[in-house]
Amino acid sequence: MAAKSNLTNMALSLTLVCLVCSALLGGIYALTAAPIEQAQQAKTNSSIARVLPAFDSVPELETIEVDGASYTYYRVPGSGYAVISKVVGFGGPLTLMVGIGEDGLVCNTVVLSHSETPGLGAKCQTDASFIDQFKGWDPAARRLAVTKDGGEVDAITASTITSRAYTAAVANAYNVYLKLSENE
Amino acid sequence: MEYLIIIISAIFVNNIVLAQFLGVCPFLGVSSKLTTATGMSGAVCFVITLATVVTYLINKFFLVPLGLTFLQTIAFILVIASLVQIVEIVLKKISPSLYQALGIFLPLITTNCAVLGVALNVVTKEFTFGDSAHMLNLGEATVYALATSLGYGLAMILFAGLREQLAMRDVPKSFKGLPIAFITVGIMAMAFLGFSGIV
Amino acid sequence: MSKFGLITKGLLKENPTFVLVLGLCPTLATTTSAMNGLEMGLATMFVLILSNIVISLIAPVVPDKVHIPVYIVVIATFVTLLQLLMQAYVPDVYETLGLFIPLIVVNCIVLGRAEAFASKNSVGDSALDGIGIGIGFTLSLTVIGIVREILGSGSIFGWKFIAGDGVLAFVMAPGAFLVLGYLMVLFNKLAKR
């Protein structure tokens, strides 16, 4: 069935296979590079559209230092800021995009990536009663902390750590907003 | 302190077999006897740690600077396959007794997804040991790989002990062999779930 | 074996999950819901069919001693291809399945079929074998996903028919092992009749 092995044909066949495969992949990579970027852009756009009331053109990603940590955000003129805020959740990093309007109210929040427990902490993506309570929240007037910590955020049942992290991410985003509006 | 958190988290909380489902095939395949399970654990420990260090360096100094990270999968599996071969040859030369103990397991390790899984996790995922999310540095990656593979060994040896007992029991016909093994692992996984949240 | 037999053998006689018991890691890890199981199965089938075709073509000229490395390179190439395509066109699915897409490289089903079937058979038969085993794998994963989703979240394919939470353990790690174990018992019982 298979050909007899000797050093020449072993080296030759391995080299050939690697060459052909890497050439093929290089080509496919070049072909898919644009669609991959488009897909990522589409995801960013839909996230911004969810957390802020309106935006027309794609804003530039900008960076700012707040309290020693670096944050990235999108500035949408006439609408507000979409701040990307990363905290430590229960199972790993939890990344949110938090929209804050120019009036200083939280507009909406969306989870960009998480590694929380399915069925428990992962509900922070789907549990409407948890997510919706942040809509229109005024961090200047109401304290951003879960009820267990003396704040006003109702935690997801049996997922206090995730809820706490989520709330902290929103609070961090608000601090970024404060710094940004100060600078202007 | 951070290293301690990595070790506890990798061995108990995020046990590679019981919580992450990596390396399940060899876990079931060689766990029917305690001695083979111990041998396999040793070999896996060795290869995972070595492979993670090597692939970490290749990724950092070769793939990332050249913008070839999309070739990670193919590069890593080749590195792991050749590494296993080299380990086999070297071991045969310098320590025939160790080779006798681990030798037969080495070829099986190339297709153990725990090895590739840990190597890929370390270079693509952010970890949250301590109080911020970050990519692991070389030291942390090494400790993480070692601890993860110790967790693999722990789960495998515990399970082999259970299976040796199980072999002597009278189980219903349809449950014989793998089905009862799976149910046992399920109960073990439940026990390990008790560790979640401690770090 | 007939062409029809090649396609249907993956369902029962050579079912990769319940009879051959191969490729367990994705089987356990990605079946938290029916949809995830289905997607993982299809992704594996894609690689399985293509690698079977290519390997049956090159097998006669590959020297014996390096055939495993050559096969692994071929499989890894198709896996990377799949990764790129998924990132471009179904990024959400790619994110959900995560690590288990690159890990198709070390899925013993793929290398196993290459070694046991594709290297010894014609291109057409190898493609059919890939389809057959792929269908068997996809169906098994979907069934496990359906059971876990019903018990764990009270829904099927995302359609919720029981209000409130299910038994969480079935979505988490222990449930995966338990469901697979009990389904295997059921399979043994039915198949042996």
Side-chain angles (χ1 to χ4, degrees):
Chain A
M1 212 37 234
K4 248 195 149 30
S5 316
N6 57 49
L7 197 62
T8 333
N9 73 4
M10 286 201 302
L12 200 68
S13 58
L14 273 179
T15 321
L16 207 66
V17 165
C18 285
L19 274 182
V20 171
C21 288
S22 42
L24 180 75
L25 282 181
I28 301 288
Y29 178 72
L31 283 179
T32 50
I36 289 177
E37 190 164 326
Q38 272 170 21
Q40 277 161 356
Q41 192 61 54
K43 194 184 166 189
T44 312
N45 288 357
S46 74
S47 304
I48 301 177
R50 266 178 71 185
V51 298
L52 284 177
F55 86 107
D56 37 22
S57 63
V58 182
E60 281 290 309
L61 188 64
E62 292 168 78
T63 318
I64 189 175
E65 286 286 308
V66 178
D67 300 333
S70 133
Y71 290 88
T72 49
Y73 66 95
Y74 295 92
R75 165 98 179 87
V76 182
S79 189
Y81 300 90
V83 182
I84 294 170
S85 178
K86 187 189 283 173
V87 288
V88 176
F90 183 75
L94 173 68
T95 314
L96 299 189
M97 186 187 273
V98 182
I100 298 175
E102 290 190 325
D103 49 2
L105 300 184
V106 175
C107 182
N108 202 355
T109 54
V110 63
V111 178
L112 295 183
S113 70
H114 76 96
S115 30
E116 303 307 293
T117 322
L120 288 171
K123 275 196 195 150
C124 67
Q125 275 186 304
T126 48
D127 189 341
S129 65
F130 176 74
I131 302 164
D132 288 350
Q133 63 183 329
F134 292 102
K135 284 185 184 169
W137 191 285
D138 181 5
R142 297 167 69 198
R143 209 176 136 219
L144 267 171
V146 292
T147 42
K148 249 187 199 167
D149 301 341
E152 293 182 49
V153 176
D154 290 317
I156 306 169
T157 322
S159 306
T160 313
I161 295 177
T162 304
S163 310
R164 205 176 264 157
Y166 199 103
T167 311
V170 178
N172 289 350
Y174 184 67
N175 288 338
V176 173
Y177 163 79
L178 286 181
K179 180 100 183 237
L180 283 169
S181 49
E182 218 172 80
N183 289 353
E184 271 186 11
Chain B
M1 188 56 203
E2 201 197 315
Y3 286 113
L4 189 70
I5 295 177
I6 296 179
I7 291 168
I8 290 176
S9 147
I11 296 182
F12 297 108
V13 184
N14 290 312
N15 186 281
I16 185 161
V17 190
L18 300 173
Q20 298 186 54
F21 307 109
L22 292 174
V24 179
C25 291
F27 175 76
L28 286 162
V30 297
S31 58
S32 45
K33 273 221 221 87
L34 203 52
T35 44
T36 47
T38 318
M40 184 66 171
S41 304
V44 166
C45 222
F46 196 61
V47 174
I48 287 190
T49 314
L50 197 61
T52 306
V53 172
V54 174
T55 51
Y56 182 94
L57 294 173
I58 286 185
N59 188 62
K60 186 163 180 190
F61 294 108
F62 189 68
L63 295 178
V64 173
L66 292 178
L68 291 175
T69 44
F70 72 99
L71 288 179
Q72 261 165 1
T73 314
I74 196 164
F76 283 17
I77 188 68
L78 282 177
V79 168
I80 291 167
S82 14
L83 209 59
V84 170
Q85 288 271 302
I86 294 171
V87 167
E88 204 178 339
I89 296 168
V90 170
L91 218 55
K92 210 173 185 171
K93 276 264 180 331
I94 60 167
S95 170
S97 59
L98 196 61
Y99 176 75
Q100 286 235 306
L102 304 183
I104 47 164
F105 303 110
L106 283 171
L108 290 176
I109 291 178
T110 308
T111 52
N112 183 337
C113 60
V115 184
L116 185 60
V118 172
L120 282 172
N121 256 345
V122 161
V123 297
T124 51
K125 229 174 80 175
E126 284 188 313
F127 287 82
T128 50
F129 303 120
D131 50 8
S132 68
H134 61 93
M135 304 296 286
L136 298 184
N137 62 32
L138 185 59
E140 291 165 332
T142 315
V143 173
Y144 172 76
L146 184 64
T148 304
S149 52
L150 287 176
Y152 191 77
L154 176 75
M156 184 122 91
I157 291 166
L158 286 177
F159 183 53
L162 286 173
R163 267 184 107 171
E164 282 193 346
Q165 293 293 315
L166 213 55
M168 291 180 279
R169 298 288 177 272
D170 184 25
V171 253
K173 211 174 122 218
S174 309
F175 282 82
K176 271 216 167 71
L178 284 175
I180 190 73
F182 274 117
I183 293 165
T184 314
V185 187
I187 296 167
M188 265 178 83
M190 234 180 259
F192 269 70
L193 214 56
F195 291 114
S196 76
I198 60 170
V199 290
Chain C
M1 197 184 279
S2 70
K3 304 276 178 223
F4 183 69
L6 279 177
I7 292 196
T8 52
K9 71 178 175 193
L11 295 182
L12 286 175
K13 223 173 79 207
E14 290 185 39
N15 185 294
T17 306
F18 297 111
V19 179
L20 305 178
V21 203
L22 291 174
L24 291 173
C25 302
T27 307
L28 294 161
T30 61
T31 51
T32 48
S33 72
M35 204 56 207
N36 289 355
L38 180 67
E39 287 158 357
M40 187 68 219
L42 292 177
T44 312
M45 186 152 114
F46 172 88
V47 175
L48 194 55
I49 297 172
L50 289 177
S51 68
N52 257 8
I53 292 175
V54 171
I55 285 167
S56 73
L57 281 173
I58 62 169
V61 293
V62 174
D64 190 40
K65 274 189 188 151
V66 289
H67 73 283
I68 296 279
V70 169
Y71 293 176
I72 289 182
V73 174
V74 171
I75 295 168
T77 306
F78 286 123
V79 170
T80 311
L81 182 74
L82 176 73
Q83 283 183 282
L84 291 170
L85 291 175
M86 287 182 77
Q87 280 176 53
Y89 301 107
V90 280
D92 289 343
V93 180
Y94 183 73
E95 219 156 275
T96 322
L97 299 179
L99 183 64
F100 288 91
I101 294 297
L103 287 185
I104 296 176
V105 178
V106 281
N107 187 324
C108 7
I109 297 177
V110 183
L111 191 61
R113 290 328 283 179
E115 184 74 347
F117 195 94
S119 61
K120 302 187 187 87
N121 287 283
S122 71
V123 181
D125 283 0
S126 302
L128 290 178
D129 177 75
I131 296 172
I133 297 288
I135 290 176
F137 189 63
T138 309
L139 271 180
S140 315
L141 259 63
T142 315
V143 168
I144 299 172
I146 288 175
V147 174
R148 285 181 71 188
E149 199 182 334
I150 292 176
L151 295 172
S153 340
S155 58
I156 295 184
F157 284 104
W159 175 70
K160 204 153 172 61
F161 61 92
I162 303 172
D165 296 334
V167 186
L168 271 182
F170 285 102
V171 183
M172 295 201 265
F177 290 107
L178 290 179
V179 168
L180 184 56
Y182 282 109
L183 282 179
M184 212 174 253
V185 172
L186 199 68
F187 193 89
N188 284 349
K189 200 95 187 148
L190 296 176
K192 289 209 172 101
R193 276 232 199 111

